[in-house]
């Protein structure tokens, strides 16, 4: 019997014994094509010795830094790279260990900003987020998110200073005959009304994922949406926070997802998964000149901290990963291969009677499953469609990993899988992914009597 508190105590998880490029290797010898990178994490694949060497080199120098007293060269270099990647938008970076920690830090940074600025605005303590988004699993970040299932058991413990507006999800929520610009205007007006309902003088920030990952399955923003929501924030003096933990760092085809919408740079941005590519646990917060300069002119102290923030070994791993991405022009490859992957998935699966939508950006694609493509009625949660597809996927003859999630439609019902392979895949890899996923989906629905 395992001594691990696994994500499910009723499942015997297969053990990984190795990793090589696009593949993870199980103890029974199966080689699984990692078409999801875990949760969109393994952006340069597995077993890259250049990252291993960077970690080993750093371990020989110093393995831990108490950031209360010291800094390290590798932390300074990584933060400089991250700030420079924003072309002058951001001024400083704050490195932590997970996306949830990054969101907690972003929330506190936003609140303290209003105490540091001149004149201070101590009444600002609320946040406006979106329905059916996911921002992390700690109590603060879970309070921010609208993931119904993950919140359900902990609702009495969650913060009451967060309210929500509608998601940006055209497949499900855009009205018949409504244009993109009309839909964006409607969502911006809803945000404006929410500011006025709760009192704009009480709001720290509006928070959103530019491309909603696990909760909705790679739903991208409509062009002009981020700009419109930022304009509402500026109207009321609130900050604009974007959560790019899952969709950022090149995953969407640009280094930052917000670069795809003109004049949509955030005041605060969270980053994570593809920062370290899974080689070490690392995430971060990027803060704009507006935010940092308030601190610099004020107390100069962010009242927050973690024992392992800016950890030198994690910084070394992330710096090596980002160097590989930059030197091999992998963000451009994400864009190129993403276009090819999109075309192949749609060509092979768009007509399947249980595929409702295929959407995404770069190498971040979601496939939503429905019981009826005429009405887009979802399968009930009890059918376990997404998890069933993922479980079948790692068996022979498929041997492919996709990332499953449920609650796509209303937080409980609805299923999707995410395909988010490594940035350095080739056209041949794209063909392998697309044809294997097609066969997997066809075989799953052919073999299962799924209740509708």
């Amino acid at each position: 019997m395992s001594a691990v508190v696994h994500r499910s105590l009723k499942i015997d998880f297969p053990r990984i014994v190795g990793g090589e490029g696009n593949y993870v290797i199980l103890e029974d010898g199966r080689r699984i094509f990692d078409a999801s990178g875990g949760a969109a994490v393994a952006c340069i694949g597995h077993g890259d010795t250049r990252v291993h060497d960077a970690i080993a080199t750093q371990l020989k120098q110093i393995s831990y830094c108490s950031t209360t007293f010291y800094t390290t060269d590798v932390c300074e270099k990584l933060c400089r790279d991250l700030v420079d990647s924003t072309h002058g938008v951001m001024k400083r970076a704050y490195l932590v260990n997970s996306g949830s920690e990054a969101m907690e830090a972003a929330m506190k940074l936003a609140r303290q900003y209003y105490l540091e600025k001149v004149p201070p605005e101590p009444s600002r303590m609320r946040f406006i987020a979106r329905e059916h988004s996911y921002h992390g699993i700690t109590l603060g970040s879970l309070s921010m998110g609208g993931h119904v299932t993950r919140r359900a058991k902990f609702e009495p413990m969650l913060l009451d200073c967060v309210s929500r507006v509608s998601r940006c999800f055209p497949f499900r929520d855009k009205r018949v005959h409504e244009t993109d610009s009309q839909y964006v205007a409607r969502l911006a007006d809803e945000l404006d009304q929410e500011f006025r309902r709760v009192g704009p003088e009480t709001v720290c920030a509006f928070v959103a994922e530019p491309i909603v990952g696990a909760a909705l399955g790679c739903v991208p923003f409509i062009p002009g949406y981020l700009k419109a929501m930022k304009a509402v924030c500026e109207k009321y003096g609130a900050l604009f926070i974007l959560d790019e933990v899952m969709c950022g760092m090149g995953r969407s085809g640009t280094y930052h997802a917000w670069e795809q919408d003109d004049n949509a740079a955030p005041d605060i941005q969270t980053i994570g998964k593809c920062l370290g590519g899974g080689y070490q646990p690392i995430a971060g917060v990027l803060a704009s000149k507006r935010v940092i300069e308030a601190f610099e002119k004020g107390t100069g102290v962010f009242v927050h901290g973690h024992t392992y923030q800016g950890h030198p070994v994690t910084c070394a791993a992330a710096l090596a990963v980002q160097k590989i991405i930059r030197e091999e022009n992998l963000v451009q490859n994400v864009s190129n291969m993403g276009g090819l992957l999109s075309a192949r998935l749609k060509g092979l699966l768009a007509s399947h009677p249980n595929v409702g939508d295929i959407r995404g950006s770069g190498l971040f694609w979601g496939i939503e499953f429905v019981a009826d493509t005429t009405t887009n009625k979802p399968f009930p949660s009890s059918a376990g469609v997404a998890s069933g597809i993922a479980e079948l996927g790692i068996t022979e003859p498929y041997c492919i990993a996709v990332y499953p999630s449920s609650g796509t439609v209303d937080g409980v019902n609805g299923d999707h899988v995410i395909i988010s392979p490594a940035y350095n895949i080739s056209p041949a890899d794209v063909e392998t992914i697309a044809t294997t996923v097609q066969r997997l989906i066809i075989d799953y629905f052919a073999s299962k009597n799924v209740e509708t």
Side-chain angles (χ1 to χ4, degrees), residues 351-363:
S351 62
H352 190 282
N354 297 115
V355 173
D357 193 30
I358 301 170
R359 69 286 183 124
S361 180
L363 287 176

Side-chain angles (χ1 to χ4, degrees), residues 206 370 422:
F206 168 68
V370 296

Side-chain angles (χ1 to χ4, degrees), residues 356-389:
D357 193 30
I358 301 170
R359 69 286 183 124
S361 180
L363 287 176
F364 197 42
W365 287 88
I367 303 173
E368 182 175 342
F369 304 105
V370 296
D372 181 353
T373 53
T374 303
T375 62
N376 290 325
K377 176 185 175 183
F379 290 101
S381 59
S382 58
V385 169
S387 59
I389 289 172

Side-chain angles (χ1 to χ4, degrees), residues 252-439:
S252 64
T254 52
Y255 200 74
H256 304 289
W258 53 260
E259 293 178 282
Q260 298 175 33
D261 209 10
D262 291 337
N263 301 311
D267 296 295
I268 296 173
Q269 174 185 352
T270 57
I271 55 177
K273 300 180 186 297
C274 290
L275 173 57
Y279 285 85
Q280 287 285 287
I282 187 170
V285 179
L286 299 177
S288 67
K289 292 179 179 179
R290 170 188 179 185
V291 171
I292 292 300
E293 288 173 3
F295 279 79
E296 290 173 342
K297 295 173 183 177
T299 65
V301 177
F302 179 30
V303 187
H304 190 61
H306 293 276
T307 299
Y308 299 113
Q309 71 182 65
H311 193 281
V313 179
T314 66
C315 289
L319 195 61
V321 169
Q322 297 311 307
K323 181 180 179 182
I324 291 167
I325 290 172
R326 182 173 59 253
E327 291 183 349
E328 296 186 1
N329 200 23
L330 292 185
V331 176
Q332 183 61 54
N333 195 61
V334 170
S335 180
N336 295 342
M337 293 302 100
L340 183 58
L341 179 60
S342 167
R344 291 301 286 140
L345 289 174
K346 291 176 180 178
L348 293 171
L349 286 167
S351 62
H352 190 282
N354 297 115
V355 173
D357 193 30
I358 301 170
R359 69 286 183 124
S361 180
L363 287 176
F364 197 42
W365 287 88
I367 303 173
E368 182 175 342
F369 304 105
V370 296
D372 181 353
T373 53
T374 303
T375 62
N376 290 325
K377 176 185 175 183
F379 290 101
S381 59
S382 58
V385 169
S387 59
I389 289 172
E391 289 166 8
L392 180 62
I394 64 172
T395 67
E396 295 176 334
Y398 315 100
C399 288
I400 193 167
V402 296
Y403 186 84
S405 195
S406 57
T408 322
V409 177
D410 56 12
V412 177
N413 300 298
D415 296 89
H416 64 262
V417 296
I418 291 175
I419 298 171
S420 47
Y423 294 0
N424 49 14
I425 60 169
S426 66
D429 295 326
V430 169
E431 191 64 17
T432 295
I433 293 167
T435 55
T436 306
V437 169
Q438 177 199 32
R439 187 167 72 253

